[in-house]
Amino acid sequence: MDMRVRSLARLLITGLALLALEARPARALDAIVFLSAGSPSDVWGGGLGASLSSSLLHVVLLDAELARQNYDSADGKLLSFSVAACLAPSFGHFTPYAGFGVGLYRQSLGDASDNGTTTSLVAGAKFRVALLVIRAEYRTFAYSGNSFITLDHRVYAGAGISF
């Protein structure tokens, strides 16, 4: 009898947990356009970029982004393409996420340029209302080789659509 009670309790708890999860239509992709600010702020000016991401099972976020960060005090820029994998549990319309990214960069300063790879730690959140997605993110960066001026971290805010 004791075994039946435990089995029934597990079944009841599992059923209640499934009912507590909000049923949402599956969205395959989020397309985001964003504005960014880099640090150290006395060197880095504004930036812009675009991101395409997909959520898997409302737990994992896969992201690809193309970004440009301009110098504030010199003629140059940092172009980067990166991909990231994040843990991203959904709570209704709100999804916090954190993970790790890798990518390629090209940094130019006047006539000189440098190419290499980058790694990043990613943390952020997105809020979805119907097809609209609003997203904010923080990234730290580490570069291969000798970059001219290091972009320590970047924050961005963006908006887009989910389809």
Side-chain angles (χ1 to χ4, degrees):
M1 181 78 164
D2 190 28
M3 189 67 103
R4 283 185 171 176
V5 171
R6 279 191 223 155
S7 294
L8 228 88
R10 284 187 201 140
L11 182 62
L12 181 62
I13 291 170
T14 303
L16 289 174
L18 289 174
L19 287 174
L21 296 175
E22 179 183 340
R24 296 180 308 274
R27 302 270 190 234
L29 296 172
D30 293 339
I32 307 289
V33 177
F34 61 84
L35 298 175
S36 63
S39 178
S41 59
D42 58 335
V43 176
W44 292 99
L48 57 95
S51 169
L52 188 62
S53 62
S54 178
S55 294
L56 304 173
L57 304 173
H58 301 292
V59 177
V60 175
L61 176 79
L62 300 177
D63 181 70
E65 79 165 31
L66 182 61
R68 174 185 172 147
Q69 196 71 38
N70 296 315
Y71 292 124
D72 194 29
S73 57
D75 182 30
K77 62 185 173 283
L78 174 70
L79 296 172
S80 64
F81 173 76
S82 64
V83 294
C86 301
L87 182 60
S90 291
F91 301 100
H93 298 285
F94 179 72
T95 305
Y97 59 90
F100 179 74
V102 296
L104 303 171
Y105 75 89
R106 178 173 177 82
Q107 189 174 31
S108 63
L109 181 60
D111 293 334
S113 65
D114 178 47
N115 300 316
T117 60
T118 181
T119 58
S120 59
L121 296 176
V122 180
K126 64 181 182 175
F127 186 75
R128 179 179 297 143
V129 178
L131 295 178
L132 175 66
V133 179
I134 299 169
R135 186 165 154 179
E137 185 176 284
Y138 172 83
R139 282 191 190 221
T140 64
F141 296 96
Y143 298 96
S144 68
N146 298 321
S147 61
F148 299 126
I149 301 172
T150 303
L151 176 64
D152 295 331
H153 60 266
R154 180 190 74 201
V155 293
Y156 85 60
I161 59 169
S162 179
F163 54 98

